[in-house]
């Protein structure tokens, strides 16, 4: 590609991204906000219009006197050109959100799963079957989807499309992206699920228009997504944001990743129930969710053992958040998820204690907020990720056609 062609490709990405972020907006404002000349904006938006990625919408004049001359139009993303699916694979359930190219949620689907750990073949079959169910419920078919985004717990190499490790898989280093893409016959984009929560917050939530923020998620494990300068940070190996596997205790409690002393090994469900099982008969049902509910109720009723378990988890969590503040000094930390029973981690006194253990400077500490979305948040983040990837693939095709 020539230098001019490369510059034009960069311009297309910048313009499409700005329309998605701010639109609808007129060409003149698009030029001002991107720093791209009006002539180039006109040329590029004509290409995007011809390719169907954006569309013009009429703008009602503010005054009757302005109705003379050429009608004014704004530019927006054309939603109906593509449909994508975002999948969140959880411990015992799957959530699927189907969105149009503009990011509007077209339908929601949720289903319980019969197992928590799969070999590669079982997982591919399960994902395909659940996608078929989700599209059928929306009067679509798999063929109507242009791309799929998938979020799952674990360490994911997004460049290679390889799941290095996940509690949902029986083996390591699974080339899940390419295997699923081949099975579905369409582009697939996979990432760690906490990264996709950060993507959802960036697109639709409390991180919108915030250049630097951190999302901490708590489900069966502890995850983190980092956005720096409006970009998701993953690290060189795809494991640059494994907050749950930062060490808080040398040779400490055993984590499900196989190492000891991880934060997750002190605050995740399995860790709390394991702690409670020592010297008590409070744990023992076949459903961990029931045991967690019993633990919370026992603590509220004043049980000393239950309160001791939750108190230690809260202190460990506060220490972990303080470490994040000391390392990144972000503008905003979002505690995100639907785990209502873990409110003890978000208690005012826990969050207040963080201020006592961070580096003290003559400036207010980062804002910490709680955003309790449901499971569909994870799926819409996966859909947003697929929209980004699909947009990039389409812009490459456009560049090849124009060159």
């Amino acid at each position: 590609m020539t230098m001019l062609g490369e510059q034009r490709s960069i311009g297309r990405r910048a313009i499409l991204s700005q329309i998605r972020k701010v639109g609808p907006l007129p060409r003149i404002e698009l030029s001002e906000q991107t720093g791209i000349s009006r002539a180039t904006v006109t040329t590029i938006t004509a290409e995007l219009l011809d390719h169907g990625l954006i569309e013009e919408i009429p703008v009602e004049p503010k005054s009757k006197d302005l109705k003379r001359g050429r009608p004014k139009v704004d530019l927006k993303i054309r939603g109906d050109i593509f449909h994508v699916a975002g999948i969140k694979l959880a411990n015992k359930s799957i959530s699927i959100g189907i969105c149009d190219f503009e990011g509007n949620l077209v339908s929601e689907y949720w289903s319980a799963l019969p197992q928590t750990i799969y070999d590669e073949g079982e997982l591919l079959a399960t994902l395909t079957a659940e996608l078929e169910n989700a599209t059928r419920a929306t009067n679509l078919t798999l063929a109507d989807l242009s791309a799929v985004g998938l979020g799952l717990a674990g360490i994911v190499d997004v460049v290679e499309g390889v799941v290095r490790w996940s509690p949902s898989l029986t083996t390591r280093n699974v080339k899940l992206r390419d295997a699923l893409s081949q099975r579905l016959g369409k582009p697939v984009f996979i990432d760690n699920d906490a990264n996709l929560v950060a993507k959802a917050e960036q697109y639709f939530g409390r991180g919108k228009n915030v250049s630097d923020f951190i999302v901490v998620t708590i489900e069966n494990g502890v995850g983190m997504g980092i956005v720096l300068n409006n970009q998701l940070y993953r690290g060189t190996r795809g494991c640059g944001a494994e907050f749950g596997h930062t060490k808080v205790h040398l040779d400490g409690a055993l984590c499900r990743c196989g190492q000891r002393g991880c934060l997750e090994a002190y605050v995740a469900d399995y860790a709390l129930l394991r702690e409670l099982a020592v010297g008590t008969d409070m744990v023992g049902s076949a459903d961990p969710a029931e045991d967690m509910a019993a633990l919370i109720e026992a603590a509220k009723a004043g049980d000393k053992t239950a309160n001791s378990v939750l108190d230690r988890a809260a202190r460990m969590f506060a220490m972990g958040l303080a470490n994040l503040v000391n390392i990144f000094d972000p503008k905003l930390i979002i505690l995100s998820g639907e785990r209502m029973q873990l409110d003890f981690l978000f208690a005012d006194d826990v969050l207040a204690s963080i201020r006592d253990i961070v580096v003290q400077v003559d400036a207010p500490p980062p804002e910490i907020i709680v955003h309790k979305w449901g499971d569909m948040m994870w799926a819409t983040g996966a859909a947003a990720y697929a929209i980004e990837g699909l947009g990039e693939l389409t812009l490459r095709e456009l560049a090849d056609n124009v060159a």
Side-chain angles (χ1 to χ4, degrees):
M1 183 182 292
T2 66
M3 182 175 295
L4 179 60
E6 179 65 25
Q7 291 175 342
R8 183 60 58 83
S9 292
I10 294 172
R12 292 188 191 102
R13 292 188 188 96
I15 287 173
L16 187 65
S17 175
Q18 192 66 12
I19 294 173
R20 181 176 298 285
K21 180 179 178 182
V22 180
L25 76 171
R27 289 172 176 82
I28 186 171
E29 290 187 21
L30 193 54
S31 173
E32 293 170 353
Q33 293 175 15
T34 61
I36 299 173
S37 70
R38 294 185 185 181
T40 302
V41 166
T42 298
T43 300
I44 289 177
T45 53
E47 294 173 348
L48 298 178
L49 284 165
D50 288 343
H51 217 66
L53 297 177
I54 62 175
E55 60 184 342
E56 294 180 333
I57 58 172
V59 177
E60 188 68 26
K62 296 180 180 179
S63 169
K64 293 181 180 179
D65 295 335
L66 297 178
K67 289 188 176 181
R68 303 190 192 96
R70 185 177 180 180
K72 292 183 177 296
V73 295
D74 281 349
L75 299 171
K76 66 181 287 292
I77 299 294
R78 181 182 166 191
D80 62 2
I81 188 174
F82 298 124
H83 282 94
V84 304
I87 306 173
K88 155 63 175 177
L89 180 67
N91 187 40
K92 285 190 174 182
S93 66
I94 189 169
S95 302
I96 300 177
I98 297 178
C99 296
D100 65 17
F101 191 58
E102 196 174 1
N104 298 311
L105 187 63
V106 175
S107 69
E108 302 178 8
Y109 173 85
W110 181 92
S111 177
L113 294 177
Q115 62 193 81
T116 60
I117 304 176
Y118 304 82
D119 63 32
E120 181 180 345
E122 291 172 334
L123 183 57
L124 290 172
T126 297
L127 293 174
T128 303
E130 296 297 346
L131 266 175
E132 289 175 339
N133 292 335
T135 52
R136 192 180 303 116
T138 317
N139 294 320
L140 298 173
T141 67
L142 278 181
D144 295 318
L145 299 178
S146 297
V148 173
L150 169 64
L152 71 166
I155 298 173
V156 181
D157 183 334
V158 300
V159 176
E160 299 296 329
V162 176
V163 181
R164 299 297 181 191
W165 169 81
S166 172
S168 298
L169 283 163
T170 57
T171 56
R172 292 175 177 260
N173 300 314
V174 176
K175 297 179 180 179
L176 186 60
R177 181 193 64 194
D178 293 347
L180 186 58
S181 179
Q182 183 176 8
R183 188 181 184 101
L184 298 176
K186 59 187 82 272
V188 172
F189 305 90
I190 66 173
D191 203 342
N192 170 270
D193 53 3
N195 281 343
L196 299 183
V197 176
K199 185 65 66 178
E201 292 284 5
Q202 186 180 35
Y203 263 66
F204 315 113
R206 302 296 292 272
K208 194 170 185 179
N209 299 321
V210 179
S211 62
D212 302 274
F213 66 92
I214 291 175
V215 172
V216 174
T217 64
I218 304 175
E219 271 204 325
N220 294 288
V222 180
M224 179 170 69
I226 305 171
V227 173
L228 299 176
N229 195 25
N230 295 307
Q231 298 295 317
L232 194 62
Y233 176 77
R234 296 185 176 91
T236 57
R237 297 180 300 152
C239 56
E242 286 297 327
F243 179 48
H245 301 289
T246 56
K247 302 301 181 281
V248 294
H249 195 297
L250 184 63
D251 296 327
L254 184 64
C255 179
R256 63 179 176 174
C257 75
Q259 297 192 12
R260 289 187 175 275
C262 297
L263 176 65
E264 181 180 296
Y266 293 92
V267 302
D269 282 12
Y270 70 85
L272 300 178
L273 296 178
R274 179 177 60 194
E275 179 79 1
L276 189 65
V278 178
T280 177
D281 59 359
M282 197 178 301
V283 175
S285 78
D287 186 356
E290 291 183 7
D291 288 337
M292 276 299 300
L295 169 59
I296 300 298
E297 287 303 314
K300 290 179 179 179
D303 183 88
K304 291 184 178 180
T305 301
N307 274 304
S308 175
V309 170
L310 299 188
D311 180 65
R312 186 177 77 153
R315 286 186 286 112
M316 287 292 193
F317 187 62
M319 181 171 64
L321 289 180
N323 288 337
L324 292 184
V325 174
N326 288 336
I327 294 170
F328 292 100
D329 191 28
K331 181 178 181 180
L332 173 68
I333 295 178
I334 305 172
L335 308 180
S336 191
E338 78 160 341
R339 305 303 296 274
M340 296 303 103
Q341 74 267 33
L342 298 183
D343 277 356
F344 67 93
L345 294 178
F346 309 147
D348 291 340
D349 58 337
V350 174
L351 300 184
S353 71
I354 297 170
R355 300 184 180 93
D356 299 328
I357 50 178
V358 298
V359 173
Q360 301 297 312
V361 296
D362 293 330
E367 183 183 9
I368 301 176
I369 62 174
V370 178
H371 192 189
K372 299 173 182 176
W373 287 20
D375 263 356
M376 197 50 57
M377 166 189 62
W378 308 72
T380 53
Y385 183 43
I387 288 171
E388 279 190 358
L390 180 61
E392 179 63 25
L393 290 177
T394 308
L395 288 177
R396 288 181 197 170
E397 293 175 2
L398 192 157
D400 291 341
N401 292 335
V402 172

